[in-house]
């Protein structure tokens, strides 16, 4: 079996650690690509993570300010009736309604003047206007909270995206080192220092490794030589791919056709 070894990222070759006929162990470094661009991308991606984390902190601070404006603790839900300004004006309005009712009753019996009645009604009407304003202020604060919560969610999402970019950049850096996927002998080398590799280019590879273990070899033995071979006998052989290498073989299996 043989395996072509190809890059997964583009880059300029700066180191080649194998040649045709050499034996490589699985996991050994065959080629190193220039990793400067990959390191720059990591730095840029990490800077983006740091920036987005600051944006999260700022969004959380804005959210907390909006919560404080409504008298809320972190995680509490808002009830407009408990909003301090609404609560205060509501209490004053209840009292003003009672005073107006009393003034109306006294006016009907002739015990107070119309001027007094009009004063009580004006006070009540003014408080109604103040209550509407307080509710409007509360609604504005609620919108600020909703906006701040959305900003926090967006900033956290941006952090996750930036962290993914860091992970991708780190993988690209790791991929600048090309390792032998299997152990075996190199039958072909197509990589040279200074060459630019791109996985997008057709038939891009740095070399081919032939797995030599197990290697099965079928040999025809003349009938006159049958007595010279036996099961388990060891032999040595040469192949056209490795003319300079003497390969030991064991566990000879002898069978007749």
């Amino acid at each position: 079996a043989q395996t072509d070894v190809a890059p997964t990222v583009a880059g300029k070759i700066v180191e080649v650690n194998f040649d045709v006929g050499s034996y490589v162990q699985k996991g050994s470094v065959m080629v190193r690509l220039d990793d400067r661009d990959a390191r720059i991308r990591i730095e840029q991606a990490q800077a983006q993570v740091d920036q987005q984390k600051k944006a999260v902190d700022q969004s959380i601070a804005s959210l907390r300010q909006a919560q404080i404006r409504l008298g809320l603790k972190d995680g509490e839900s808002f009830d407009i009736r408990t909003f301090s300004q609404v609560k205060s004006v509501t209490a004053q309005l209840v009292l003003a309604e009672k005073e107006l009712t009393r003034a109306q009753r006294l006016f009907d019996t002739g015990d107070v003047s119309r001027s007094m009645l009009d004063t009580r009604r004006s006070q009540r009407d003014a408080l109604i206007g103040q209550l509407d304003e307080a509710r409007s202020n509360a609604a504005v604060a609620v919108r600020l909270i909703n906006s701040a919560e959305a900003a926090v969610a967006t900033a956290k999402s941006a952090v996750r995206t930036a962290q993914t970019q860091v992970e991708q950049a780190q993988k690209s850096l790791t991929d600048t080192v090309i390792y032998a996927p299997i152990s075996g002998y190199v039958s072909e080398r197509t990589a040279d220092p200074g060459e630019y590799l791109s996985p997008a280019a057709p038939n891009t590879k740095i070399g081919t490794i032939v797995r030599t273990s197990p290697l099965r070899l079928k040999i025809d033995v003349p009938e006159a030589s049958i007595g010279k071979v036996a099961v388990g006998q060891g032999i040595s052989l040469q192949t056209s791919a490795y003319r300079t290498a003497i390969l030991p073989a064991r566990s000879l299996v002898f069978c007749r056709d």
Side-chain angles (χ1 to χ4, degrees), residues 163-177:
Q163 287 173 333
T164 299
Q165 292 173 346
V166 169
E167 293 170 0
Q168 292 173 342
Q170 289 173 336
K171 183 180 184 304
S172 294
L173 176 61
T174 300
D175 290 343
T176 59
V177 181

Side-chain angles (χ1 to χ4, degrees), residues 48 71 109 117 154 158 162 204 241:
Q48 187 68 16
T109 59
L117 177 63
T154 299
T204 298

Side-chain angles (χ1 to χ4, degrees), residues 69-157:
R69 182 176 177 181
L70 291 177
L72 297 178
K73 295 180 180 179
D74 192 27
E76 286 185 343
S77 58
F78 176 68
D79 184 349
I80 195 170
R81 293 171 299 180
T82 63
F83 182 45
S84 58
Q85 188 179 3
V86 171
K87 189 175 182 180
S88 174
V89 175
T90 298
Q92 295 177 51
L93 180 59
V94 170
L95 180 60
E97 290 282 8
K98 291 179 180 180
E99 289 293 331
L100 176 58
T101 300
R102 180 172 178 272
Q104 182 67 56
R105 187 167 54 250
L106 292 175
F107 175 76
D108 292 341
T109 59
D111 293 322
V112 296
S113 65
R114 176 169 291 278
S115 176
M116 178 62 71
L117 177 63
D118 291 342
T119 298
R120 295 291 185 241
R121 182 174 287 109
S122 295
Q123 291 173 343
R124 190 278 311 272
D125 293 344
L127 287 169
I128 289 176
Q130 291 178 26
L131 181 59
D132 290 340
E133 182 179 359
R135 286 172 173 166
S136 177
N137 291 338
V140 170
V142 168
R143 286 195 293 272
L144 287 175
I145 285 181
N146 292 339
S147 177
E149 288 176 339
V152 170
T154 299
K156 287 182 176 180
S157 176

Side-chain angles (χ1 to χ4, degrees), residues 155-229:
K156 287 182 176 180
S157 176
V159 168
R160 290 191 293 269
T161 299
Q163 287 173 333
T164 299
Q165 292 173 346
V166 169
E167 293 170 0
Q168 292 173 342
Q170 289 173 336
K171 183 180 184 304
S172 294
L173 176 61
T174 300
D175 290 343
T176 59
V177 181
I178 304 175
Y179 301 92
I182 62 172
S183 297
Y185 285 90
V186 177
S187 64
E188 182 182 9
R189 166 181 159 175
T190 58
D192 292 299
E195 181 183 354
Y196 186 85
L197 299 178
S198 173
N203 302 319
T204 298
K205 65 179 181 179
I206 64 168
T208 301
I209 302 174
V210 177
R211 186 192 300 274
T212 58
S213 177
L215 179 64
R216 291 178 174 85
L217 178 67
K218 183 178 180 180
I219 304 175
D220 293 327
V221 180
E223 186 174 354
S225 302
I226 290 297
K228 298 180 181 180
V229 296

